[in-house]
Amino acid sequence: MRCKRIGAGAALAAGALAVTGLAFAPAALAVTPQTATISADCGSFGSGEATLTATQNGTAATLTVKSSAITAPIALGEDSITSALTLVKSGGGTVDFTGTENPAMAAGAPVEVGPLSGTVASGDSLDAFGGSLRMTVFGITITCTASGPQSPGPFVFD
């Protein structure tokens, strides 16, 4: 009987410690907003609205770019585009997000690249306006720029 009480007491104490640990655990880092839109101009490859989606895990961040207005000029295989997205910091400077990830796309399909990886600092405020997206496909580089600030506003990282 005494062993059962000690075991139950130990289980209750362990549960209380776990709950206390969760209460004092640091909050998960987040970027706000998580999605933003820009009006992108990719020259002869198209122009129109593009959506940027951001995630953050500590100082590591990723961005994905999708646009139904900008289309693949030819069929492209998975992970066949080398991309570099440069965002502008509000206090000056830039942050680059790079990678070779993309889904397979048929000719004329909406363009999607990412997630592209980069490093951010707490408090970084980043906007696509003034930066660029460079995509290299079969040795041809396509450069897209934003014609104005992203909406609803810059990405702010915790």
Side-chain angles (χ1 to χ4, degrees), residues 130-157:
S132 66
L133 171 63
R134 292 175 311 287
M135 299 174 284
T136 303
V137 183
F138 302 121
I140 299 168
T141 300
I142 302 161
T143 302
C144 302
T145 57
S147 58
Q150 63 192 45
S151 177
F155 294 115
V156 179
F157 296 86

Side-chain angles (χ1 to χ4, degrees), residues 67-68 70-73 104-112:
S67 176
S68 57
I70 302 162
T71 58
M105 292 175 260
V111 167
E112 178 179 345

Side-chain angles (χ1 to χ4, degrees), residues 7-17:
L12 286 172
L17 284 174

Side-chain angles (χ1 to χ4, degrees), residues 90-109:
S90 64
T94 60
V95 175
D96 291 322
F97 295 83
T98 60
T100 57
E101 294 190 43
N102 64 274
M105 292 175 260

Side-chain angles (χ1 to χ4, degrees), residues 15-145:
L17 284 174
V19 169
T20 302
L22 287 175
F24 292 107
L29 297 176
V31 57
T32 54
Q34 291 180 326
T35 61
T37 58
I38 60 168
S39 180
D41 181 2
C42 300
S44 61
F45 294 97
S47 62
E49 189 172 281
T51 301
L52 288 73
T53 304
T55 64
Q56 179 184 9
N57 185 5
T59 60
T62 63
L63 275 130
T64 301
V65 181
K66 297 180 185 180
S67 176
S68 57
I70 302 162
T71 58
I74 58 173
L76 300 169
E78 182 177 0
D79 300 336
S80 62
I81 303 173
T82 301
S83 302
L85 174 65
T86 301
L87 297 181
V88 177
K89 284 183 170 185
S90 64
T94 60
V95 175
D96 291 322
F97 295 83
T98 60
T100 57
E101 294 190 43
N102 64 274
M105 292 175 260
V111 167
E112 178 179 345
V113 295
L116 307 176
S117 301
T119 302
V120 295
S122 181
D124 276 354
S125 179
L126 306 177
D127 197 306
F129 186 52
S132 66
L133 171 63
R134 292 175 311 287
M135 299 174 284
T136 303
V137 183
F138 302 121
I140 299 168
T141 300
I142 302 161
T143 302
C144 302
T145 57

